[in-house]
Amino acid sequence: MISIIPKPVRVEELPGQSKAEVTIAGNADPALGNEGYELHIAPAAVTLAANSPAGVFYGQQTLRQLRSADGTMPCCRIWDKPRFGWRGLMVDVSRHFFTKDEIKHFLDVMAAHKLNVFHWHLVDDQGWRIEIKRYPKLTAVAAWRSEIGFGLDPGASRCYRQDGQYGGLYTQADVREIVAYAASRHITVVPEIEMPGHSTAALVAHPEFGCSGGPYSFDAKAGITHGIFCAGQDAAFEFLENILAEVIALFPSQFIHIGGDEVPKDNWKKCQRCQQRIRDERLKNEEELQSYFIRRIEKFINSNGRRLIGWDEILEGGLAPNATVMSWRGVKGGIAAANAGHDVVMTPTTHCYFDFYQAHVGQPKAAYYQGILPLEKVYEFEPVPPEIPIEHAHHVLGGGGNLWTEFMPNYGHLQFMTYPRACALAEVLWSPKESRDLADFKARLKAHTKLLDTLGVTYAQTLDA
Ligand SMILES: [Zn+2]
């Protein structure tokens, strides 16, 4: 058996072994599209054909998995292309910080699994991580907090300043370097700037853009906090648009993620300016005020030639006209959006929340909301539920796994929560649905752990659990 993850569309095993040089040919079967490749390994010659550099790159990832330590490869013919164009992982760097080199290693391992979207959750209540030239206080003040938080051992991280403050930031030069590093591995980096909720860090630095005017302080606990932007102030929109303008200049991604999730509305209910906005714009309630907020930001993003994506709460009060929805509270939001003609990315908690426990026992502290998420359950993930009829199925761009890092204070722990579950996700998002076979996957995964070892990945030992 040829042990490749994710599993290729078609594999024909041929007799013999090869150590021949790889010849790369353009103009492959047009049906392979932009990311597919064909591979023919014969004793005397190895040919890799693809229609694009991405296809060549994915063929090379397959070759890497086929090659044994002495350089020999089993003879075979492979015809392969992905099922979905969005094969993602999200990393939250706000709750805990990961260095530039750690992010690069994370991208290396993603690329080896043919994952192609790195969704970078750069800001949240507990830290602002991206340098914004116009507002230096965002990182000078809000990239640092007094403690590691979340009830964790302070020794679990090395991200401390000399004065003992915990945190970290990415300069714009760091961001450019990471975006280029990702691009050379055919990974798009989708930045996420949370608004209007999950914005305590921004408001610690700039309390003037909240309803109360602050002061705001960090509360490094899991859950929802009340740091939300004031929807009644034009100055708050200007602030966010100036930030987004810098973000858009740094990230070539077509999509800009604006969060939009878990927005408690009580501040807006009490705020005279927000209530005035509701009257001026003839909105019914605070849900419609949230919708007004997202539409206004979408207009700005669209006017810069980009597309807005947000968590499924952006459906509440009416979806912005061109918005793409990331469905996390199950797949219901994704179904509603796809059937209304919007693009969606499926990341339901049930199958894609890699911050959940991987097993019932013997695991370090993890998030526990709806249950555990073992490897097998990830492998059962189906991004196109039956409620989306065939004519709307193309609106499902793909899916992604989410690494909310409240309980992942260092890079080793982040990898431990990611792998091997991301191996299962990679196969779900790349391989044909009909080829899914859990026993076969587990057998291939056993062999695949050699590659994880070579890549220096710390992974959970859940295969035999
Ligand atoms: Zn307000």
Side-chain angles (χ1 to χ4, degrees):
M1 181 187 62
I2 285 179
S3 304
I4 302 162
I5 287 180
K7 188 176 186 172
V9 175
R10 289 204 298 271
V11 182
E12 184 193 346
E13 298 191 32
L14 304 171
Q17 296 279 321
S18 180
K19 254 187 162 175
E21 289 274 306
V22 180
T23 306
I24 294 172
N27 300 325
D29 179 352
L32 288 166
N34 266 335
E35 293 188 301
Y37 65 93
E38 277 176 291
L39 194 56
H40 183 199
I41 301 177
V46 177
T47 315
L48 167 59
N51 297 312
S52 72
V56 171
F57 182 79
Y58 293 128
Q60 285 166 336
Q61 302 316 307
T62 296
L63 283 167
R64 170 143 78 150
Q65 294 192 43
L66 287 168
R67 203 171 268 130
S68 60
D70 68 355
T72 55
M73 293 176 284
C75 290
C76 62
R77 238 183 242 281
I78 290 176
W79 189 98
D80 196 18
K81 67 172 190 172
R83 180 177 172 203
F84 294 104
W86 185 302
R87 305 181 299 277
L89 286 178
M90 184 220 74
V91 177
D92 161 15
V93 296
S94 171
R95 273 55 178 259
H96 292 291
F97 181 72
F98 304 95
T99 66
K100 188 173 68 178
D101 288 339
E102 289 166 347
I103 298 293
K104 284 183 176 177
H105 182 258
F106 194 85
L107 293 167
D108 285 338
V109 187
M110 279 181 70
H113 292 86
K114 305 187 176 90
L115 295 166
N116 68 346
V117 178
F118 176 58
H119 169 179
W120 203 2
H121 186 81
L122 285 159
V123 308
D124 209 301
D125 291 316
Q126 290 87 5
W128 183 284
R129 304 284 172 224
I130 178 171
E131 178 192 23
I132 300 296
K133 302 263 190 203
R134 190 170 176 140
Y135 304 111
K137 273 200 283 179
L138 284 171
T139 40
V141 174
W144 303 96
R145 60 181 191 247
S146 62
E147 51 165 3
I148 191 168
F150 304 100
L152 294 162
D153 171 9
S157 172
R158 275 182 282 179
C159 297
Y160 292 94
R161 249 180 1 194
Q162 273 190 333
D163 64 359
Q165 291 276 302
Y166 173 82
L169 61 105
Y170 308 99
T171 64
Q172 294 205 350
D174 291 338
V175 169
R176 281 198 199 90
E177 191 180 324
I178 286 170
V179 168
Y181 191 88
S184 67
R185 285 151 184 78
H186 300 278
I187 295 173
T188 300
V189 184
V190 175
E192 180 178 354
I193 305 294
E194 276 267 19
M195 63 187 79
H198 283 282
S199 299
T200 305
L203 294 171
V204 166
H206 286 279
E208 65 272 26
F209 302 125
C211 290
S212 69
Y216 295 85
S217 60
F218 290 119
D219 182 9
K221 281 192 230 144
I224 301 169
T225 72
H226 290 261
I228 69 172
F229 285 108
C230 179
Q233 285 185 55
D234 287 334
F237 284 96
E238 257 168 59
F239 172 69
L240 288 167
E241 289 174 6
N242 289 334
I243 289 168
L244 287 172
E246 291 193 31
V247 168
I248 285 167
L250 286 168
F251 294 89
S253 163
Q254 184 190 11
F255 288 98
I256 304 293
H257 203 303
I258 54 81
D261 58 313
E262 298 182 326
V263 184
K265 308 292 191 308
D266 35 345
N267 293 6
W268 287 356
K269 281 200 175 105
K270 287 184 286 193
C271 172
Q272 283 187 4
R273 286 178 291 199
C274 284
Q275 293 304 313
Q276 188 61 42
R277 177 82 76 195
I278 287 176
R279 286 191 294 275
D280 291 348
E281 297 291 332
R282 296 164 195 261
L283 306 171
K284 278 201 207 79
N285 49 32
E286 289 73 23
E287 270 66 43
E288 288 200 359
L289 184 58
Q290 149 116 347
S291 173
Y292 164 85
F293 195 109
I294 304 297
R295 283 168 198 260
R296 188 160 166 176
I297 293 296
E298 180 179 67
K299 224 181 240 173
F300 178 78
I301 288 176
N302 289 168
S303 74
N304 282 276
R306 307 298 179 91
R307 298 173 65 186
L308 177 147
I309 183 167
W311 301 107
D312 58 53
E313 284 93 332
I314 66 171
L315 283 155
E316 292 164 6
L319 189 55
N322 308 310
T324 297
V325 170
M326 194 166 258
S327 191
W328 72 280
R329 296 174 301 176
V331 291
K332 257 172 58 189
I335 292 167
N339 290 343
H342 288 262
D343 285 343
V344 305
V345 175
M346 294 293 196
T347 65
T349 50
T350 48
H351 296 82
C352 297
Y353 268 49
F354 294 173
D355 53 334
F356 288 12
Y357 280 99
Q358 308 187 61
H360 282 290
V361 291
Q363 297 288 306
K365 170 120 182 97
Y368 189 91
Y369 302 112
Q370 295 177 354
I372 69 162
L373 178 52
L375 177 70
E376 294 79 2
K377 185 96 190 266
V378 179
Y379 198 75
E380 284 170 17
F381 175 39
E382 176 43 46
V384 186
E387 294 86 347
I388 299 179
I390 190 101
E391 67 269 26
H392 290 306
H394 68 279
H395 284 302
V396 179
L397 304 180
N402 292 337
L403 281 306
W404 298 107
T405 59
E406 283 92 339
F407 302 112
M408 301 173 211
N410 57 55
Y411 184 55
H413 202 133
L414 176 74
Q415 295 179 84
F416 172 87
M417 298 303 279
T418 309
Y419 294 96
R421 288 187 290 194
C423 303
L425 180 75
E427 183 144 318
V428 165
L429 296 173
W430 178 283
S431 309
K433 187 181 170 186
E434 312 75 65
S435 78
R436 218 114 31 101
D437 176 336
L438 182 63
D440 177 64
F441 166 73
K442 284 185 153 184
R444 282 181 288 116
L445 185 56
K446 262 198 182 137
H448 182 74
T449 56
K450 275 199 209 95
L451 178 68
L452 296 179
D453 292 334
T454 306
L455 291 167
V457 179
T458 304
Y459 50 91
Q461 304 289 338
T462 46
L463 199 48
D464 302 311

